[in-house]
Amino acid sequence: MRKKWLPLTLCLTLFTFPTGGAIIRNIAPSSESLSSNYEHPLSVVTYNIRGCRTDSGNADPEIIIAALHSLHADVIALQEVDNNLPRSQFVNQVEAIAKGLKMNYAYGPSIDFVIGTYGNAVLSKYPIQHAELKKLPADWEPRSMLDVTMDWNGEPLHVLVSHLGVKKSEHRKQTESLHAYLQEKSYKYSILLGDFNMLPTDPLLDTLRGVYRDPSHEQKHALRTLKHTRTPKEIDRIFLSPELVFIDASAPAIGPSDHFPVQMRLKKLGFASKEAISSN
């Protein structure tokens, strides 16, 4: 968040009301055909959009739409999404972005300021079937995880997006809460992604790596996910359940936020290519 908004945010946080549940909108054209898993690996993006604000503080969802459109992603997880807040001209940002990209969406508020909310979202080219909002332990600012279920060509795909706290003192309880949730659910096809506010070397991330794979860490990628750093600084991550196979990942230097989007391509375990199937 920009510094000029921090005092107002902290003040409003003291008087926030409990957030409501997750919101789902399936708005993508029903006639839109999706390629099969044989032809088209799943492209997933996580992006902290900073309320669609530029470095000067102007909020413009159209710039975010343009950046995301260039990635041609199938699933997009967003953090720091404003809904009806004065700093972003009272715009429902997730709906504006989803309509601009012609994607379905689910939104889960982490903070309710009465006049508006602030939280995480998932956009999908696939139909969204269910969304569940889970609060995470937090002392400084309310945090949550949004668990979204979509129909991935006849199979349920669970996309779990979160934005962990900026205080290191909160990270242990938050990662433990996520770890317990992953173990409890035992999803077959699942992706955990978002802004973890921890570097890849933080030992607390090993808690999550004990359940889900962290392909970028395994491949020793040095992705630069923060814009205003001279060296690669990677705090935005994508974890995969064991039944998903990593193909590649990147962090394109685009968009108005202080973060860059992280993009990963993946497929289901055991799925051969179309060419391999045709040759048999």
Side-chain angles (χ1 to χ4, degrees):
M1 296 184 186
R2 282 183 59 81
K3 291 182 179 179
K4 71 178 184 179
W5 287 106
L6 187 57
L8 176 60
T9 301
L10 294 178
C11 179
L12 287 173
T13 301
L14 295 176
F15 298 98
T16 53
F17 289 77
T19 58
I23 298 170
I24 297 174
R25 296 286 187 273
N26 282 301
I27 60 177
S30 58
S31 60
E32 181 177 342
S33 61
L34 297 174
S35 300
S36 72
N37 288 306
Y38 298 107
E39 300 171 333
H40 180 58
L42 190 73
S43 174
V44 178
V45 166
T46 182
Y47 191 17
N48 182 326
I49 62 172
R50 190 175 57 177
C52 297
R53 295 191 304 280
T54 63
D55 288 342
S56 62
N58 297 318
D60 186 358
E62 291 298 326
I63 306 179
I64 294 292
I65 292 170
L68 290 172
H69 187 269
S70 68
L71 301 180
H72 305 287
D74 303 303
V75 177
I76 301 171
L78 302 177
Q79 304 89 52
E80 295 196 15
V81 182
D82 285 359
N83 175 34
N84 200 44
L85 293 179
R87 66 180 180 185
S88 48
Q89 292 78 54
F90 300 98
V91 172
N92 182 340
Q93 292 186 338
V94 64
E95 183 168 291
I97 296 170
K99 286 183 176 179
L101 296 173
K102 297 182 180 179
M103 298 177 77
N104 305 312
Y105 75 86
Y107 171 70
S110 295
I111 306 177
D112 189 341
F113 295 115
V114 184
I115 60 172
T117 60
Y118 167 85
N120 304 305
V122 171
L123 282 62
S124 172
K125 290 182 179 179
Y126 297 90
I128 295 177
Q129 300 172 320
H130 180 71
E132 181 178 346
L133 188 62
K134 173 181 171 57
K135 290 187 178 182
L136 296 178
D139 300 318
W140 176 249
E141 178 183 303
R143 300 284 169 165
S144 67
M145 179 192 68
L146 179 64
D147 181 351
V148 178
T149 307
M150 58 193 66
D151 181 358
W152 183 24
N153 294 327
E155 295 272 10
L157 174 66
H158 302 270
V159 179
L160 289 63
V161 56
S162 188
H163 183 190
L164 301 193
V166 295
K167 297 288 186 179
K168 290 184 178 295
S169 58
E170 297 181 323
H171 290 168
R172 181 174 298 279
K173 288 184 178 180
Q174 291 173 350
T175 53
E176 288 175 351
S177 179
L178 290 175
H179 178 265
Y181 189 89
L182 297 180
Q183 285 193 313
E184 175 191 351
K185 297 297 183 179
S186 299
Y187 293 137
K188 183 177 182 181
Y189 300 122
S190 181
I191 304 167
L192 172 67
L193 70 177
D195 179 354
F196 290 85
N197 271 315
M198 287 183 277
L199 294 176
T201 54
D202 195 309
L204 290 177
L205 288 175
D206 291 337
T207 303
L208 300 176
R209 291 172 183 142
V211 187
Y212 279 17
R213 293 184 55 210
D214 184 357
S216 292
H217 181 66
E218 294 169 6
Q219 300 290 331
K220 294 181 170 50
H221 291 317
L223 300 178
R224 181 185 174 195
T225 72
L226 288 178
K227 181 186 296 184
H228 303 298
T229 56
R230 294 182 180 178
T231 58
K233 194 170 184 180
E234 185 179 356
I235 65 174
D236 305 88
R237 311 203 66 72
I238 300 177
F239 294 87
L240 304 179
S241 64
E243 294 291 329
L244 294 175
V245 178
F246 168 77
I247 299 176
D248 54 36
S250 62
I254 59 175
S257 175
D258 53 341
H259 290 243
F260 292 133
V262 176
Q263 184 167 30
M264 183 177 290
R265 292 194 308 148
L266 53 99
K267 63 182 180 179
K268 296 177 182 177
L269 182 65
F271 267 37
S273 67
K274 182 180 179 182
E275 291 76 11
I277 293 172
S278 301
S279 64
N280 291 335

